[in-house]
Amino acid sequence: MKNAGYQLIMLLISVVGGLLFGASGEGSTVMELTGSVGARSFIGLTQFLGEIPGEETSISLDSGPVLQSASGIGVNVGDWSVSSNSSADLNLRVLYDTFTVEIEGNVVSIPYTLSNGTDFIASGEEFSQLVKTGGMYRSEQNTGLIYLKRTDSLVYPPSFSYSTVITFQLESN
């Protein structure tokens, strides 16, 4: 069957982290990618974590499992699932940058990496291999967790305004 080129479903996650005396808890929420992929179809969802500084939805960037020195794969920042009736072969790719904030005219950036629970995934790489059964991508087979972990051990200025955008793209070959 002939593919109609390049289609994607995109999920933008804006994650806000509290740093140094900032956040009181870790955020975890459900992020869901669903829908069928067809020629020139786009679905966009936005998820915000830590919108209210100091609330349980904040992600602490200076303590706990997010730290590079901590054992494990990082702090859980959400779940993902994909379902599609597309006949195309689909890939789930992730793009992200650093946590950034402007403090007194200086841009401060905190690097991190994402994990799918098994592997650490660099920005621009395939996040998870999707499973197609009977011509369908079922959410029960295409689901998982999203983890975030810092990649350095530097100390940064305190701020509730560190933020980043994580983009998931569902692409057809």
Side-chain angles (χ1 to χ4, degrees), residues 63-85:
S63 65
V66 74
L67 294 178
Q68 180 187 35
S69 60
S71 62
I73 53 178
V75 62
N76 176 249
V77 294
D79 307 315
W80 67 271
S81 68
V82 174
S83 65
S84 177
N85 61 358

Side-chain angles (χ1 to χ4, degrees), residues 5-81:
Y6 175 83
Q7 306 93 31
L8 64 94
I9 293 178
M10 185 168 43
L11 170 67
L12 295 177
I13 310 168
S14 179
V15 181
V16 179
L19 183 68
L20 301 174
F21 316 110
S24 64
E26 299 167 2
S28 182
T29 187
V30 175
M31 295 173 282
E32 185 175 332
L33 290 171
T34 60
S36 61
V37 177
R40 301 176 191 261
S41 70
F42 298 91
I43 298 175
L45 302 172
T46 302
Q47 176 66 54
F48 293 97
L49 297 174
E51 286 186 279
I52 303 169
E55 292 295 322
E56 291 299 314
T57 58
S58 297
I59 298 169
S60 175
L61 296 177
D62 66 340
S63 65
V66 74
L67 294 178
Q68 180 187 35
S69 60
S71 62
I73 53 178
V75 62
N76 176 249
V77 294
D79 307 315
W80 67 271
S81 68

Side-chain angles (χ1 to χ4, degrees), residues 59-151:
I59 298 169
S60 175
L61 296 177
D62 66 340
S63 65
V66 74
L67 294 178
Q68 180 187 35
S69 60
S71 62
I73 53 178
V75 62
N76 176 249
V77 294
D79 307 315
W80 67 271
S81 68
V82 174
S83 65
S84 177
N85 61 358
S86 174
S87 61
D89 292 329
L90 300 176
N91 297 315
L92 183 63
R93 187 170 311 283
V94 66
L95 302 162
Y96 58 92
D97 201 356
T98 59
F99 277 96
T100 59
V101 68
E102 185 173 328
I103 300 174
E104 297 176 2
N106 297 313
V107 175
V108 180
S109 296
I110 302 175
Y112 66 91
T113 187
L114 291 181
S115 172
N116 59 17
T118 305
D119 300 307
F120 288 103
I121 311 298
S123 181
E125 298 295 321
E126 182 179 45
F127 187 74
S128 184
Q129 191 170 36
L130 299 178
V131 176
K132 188 175 189 179
T133 305
M136 301 266 312
Y137 292 91
R138 302 184 193 299
S139 60
E140 302 83 38
Q141 296 172 308
N142 297 288
T143 187
L145 300 175
I146 303 166
Y147 295 90
L148 188 145
K149 189 164 188 84
R150 283 188 43 191
T151 58

